[in-house]
CSV table of all heavy atoms in Angstrom, one decimal:
chain,number,residue,atom,x,y,z
W,114,ARG,N,67.2,38.7,-123.1
W,114,ARG,CA,68.1,37.9,-124.0
W,114,ARG,C,67.8,36.5,-123.9
W,114,ARG,O,67.7,35.9,-122.9
W,114,ARG,CB,69.6,38.2,-123.7
W,114,ARG,CG,70.0,39.6,-123.9
W,114,ARG,CD,71.6,39.8,-123.6
W,114,ARG,NE,71.8,41.2,-123.5
W,114,ARG,CZ,73.0,41.7,-123.1
W,114,ARG,NH1,74.0,40.9,-122.8
W,114,ARG,NH2,73.1,43.0,-122.9
W,116,GLU,N,69.1,33.6,-123.8
W,116,GLU,CA,70.3,32.9,-123.5
W,116,GLU,C,70.1,31.6,-122.8
W,116,GLU,O,68.9,31.4,-122.3
W,116,GLU,CB,71.3,33.7,-122.6
W,116,GLU,CG,71.7,35.0,-123.3
W,116,GLU,CD,72.8,35.6,-122.6
W,116,GLU,OE1,74.0,35.3,-122.9
W,116,GLU,OE2,72.7,36.6,-121.8
W,121,GLY,N,73.2,33.4,-112.6
W,121,GLY,CA,73.7,34.7,-113.0
W,121,GLY,C,73.4,35.0,-114.5
W,121,GLY,O,73.8,36.0,-115.0
W,123,TYR,N,70.1,35.0,-117.2
W,123,TYR,CA,68.6,34.9,-117.3
W,123,TYR,C,68.1,35.4,-118.6
W,123,TYR,O,68.9,36.1,-119.3
W,123,TYR,CB,67.9,35.6,-116.1
W,123,TYR,CG,68.6,35.3,-114.8
W,123,TYR,CD1,69.5,36.2,-114.3
W,123,TYR,CD2,68.4,34.1,-114.2
W,123,TYR,CE1,70.1,35.9,-113.1
W,123,TYR,CE2,69.1,33.8,-113.0
W,123,TYR,CZ,69.9,34.7,-112.4
W,123,TYR,OH,70.6,34.5,-111.2
W,128,GLN,N,69.3,45.6,-115.5
W,128,GLN,CA,70.5,46.3,-115.6
W,128,GLN,C,70.3,47.8,-115.1
W,128,GLN,O,69.3,48.3,-115.2
W,128,GLN,CB,71.0,46.4,-117.1
W,128,GLN,CG,71.6,45.2,-117.6
W,128,GLN,CD,72.3,45.4,-119.0
W,128,GLN,OE1,71.9,46.4,-119.7
W,128,GLN,NE2,73.1,44.6,-119.5
W,259,ARG,N,84.1,43.1,-125.9
W,259,ARG,CA,82.8,43.1,-125.4
W,259,ARG,C,81.8,42.6,-126.5
W,259,ARG,O,82.1,42.8,-127.6
W,259,ARG,CB,82.4,44.5,-124.9
W,259,ARG,CG,83.3,45.0,-123.8
W,259,ARG,CD,82.7,46.1,-122.9
W,259,ARG,NE,81.5,45.7,-122.4
W,259,ARG,CZ,81.4,44.9,-121.4
W,259,ARG,NH1,82.4,44.4,-120.8
W,259,ARG,NH2,80.1,44.6,-120.9
W,281,GLU,N,81.3,38.4,-114.7
W,281,GLU,CA,81.2,39.9,-115.0
W,281,GLU,C,80.0,40.5,-114.3
W,281,GLU,O,78.9,40.2,-114.6
W,281,GLU,CB,81.1,40.2,-116.5
W,281,GLU,CG,81.4,41.7,-116.7
W,281,GLU,CD,81.2,42.2,-118.1
W,281,GLU,OE1,80.0,42.5,-118.4
W,281,GLU,OE2,82.1,42.3,-118.9
W,282,ILE,N,80.3,41.5,-113.6
W,282,ILE,CA,79.2,42.3,-112.9
W,282,ILE,C,78.7,43.4,-113.7
W,282,ILE,O,77.6,43.7,-113.8
W,282,ILE,CB,79.8,42.8,-111.6
W,282,ILE,CG1,79.7,41.7,-110.5
W,282,ILE,CG2,79.2,44.2,-111.1
W,282,ILE,CD1,79.7,42.2,-109.1
W,283,GLY,N,79.6,44.0,-114.4
W,283,GLY,CA,79.2,45.1,-115.3
W,283,GLY,C,80.4,45.5,-116.1
W,283,GLY,O,81.6,45.2,-115.9
W,308,GLY,N,74.8,44.3,-114.2
W,308,GLY,CA,73.7,43.4,-114.0
W,308,GLY,C,73.3,43.4,-112.6
W,308,GLY,O,74.1,43.1,-111.6
W,311,ARG,N,73.5,40.0,-110.8
W,311,ARG,CA,75.0,39.6,-110.5
W,311,ARG,C,75.4,40.4,-109.2
W,311,ARG,O,76.1,39.8,-108.5
W,311,ARG,CB,75.8,39.9,-111.6
W,311,ARG,CG,75.3,39.1,-112.9
W,311,ARG,CD,76.4,38.3,-113.5
W,311,ARG,NE,75.8,37.7,-114.7
W,311,ARG,CZ,76.3,37.7,-116.0
W,311,ARG,NH1,77.4,38.4,-116.2
W,311,ARG,NH2,75.7,37.1,-116.9
U,1,AMP,P1,76.3,43.8,-121.6
U,1,AMP,O1,75.1,44.7,-121.8
U,1,AMP,O2,76.4,42.5,-122.3
U,1,AMP,O3,77.6,44.6,-121.6
U,1,AMP,O4,76.1,43.3,-120.1
U,1,AMP,C1,76.3,44.2,-118.9
U,1,AMP,C2,76.0,43.4,-117.7
U,1,AMP,O5,74.7,42.9,-117.7
U,1,AMP,C3,76.9,42.1,-117.5
U,1,AMP,O6,78.1,42.4,-117.0
U,1,AMP,C4,76.0,41.3,-116.6
U,1,AMP,O7,76.2,41.7,-115.3
U,1,AMP,C5,74.6,41.7,-117.0
U,1,AMP,N1,74.0,40.7,-117.9
U,1,AMP,C6,74.2,40.6,-119.3
U,1,AMP,N2,73.4,39.6,-119.7
U,1,AMP,C7,72.8,39.0,-118.7
U,1,AMP,C8,71.9,37.8,-118.5
U,1,AMP,N3,71.5,37.1,-119.5
U,1,AMP,N4,71.5,37.6,-117.3
U,1,AMP,C9,71.9,38.4,-116.2
U,1,AMP,N5,72.7,39.4,-116.3
U,1,AMP,C10,73.2,39.7,-117.5
Side-chain angles (χ1 to χ4, degrees):
R114 292 182 196 173
E116 297 199 82
Y123 315 98
Q128 285 185 340
R259 301 199 55 74
E281 193 192 83
I282 275 201
R311 301 235 181 125

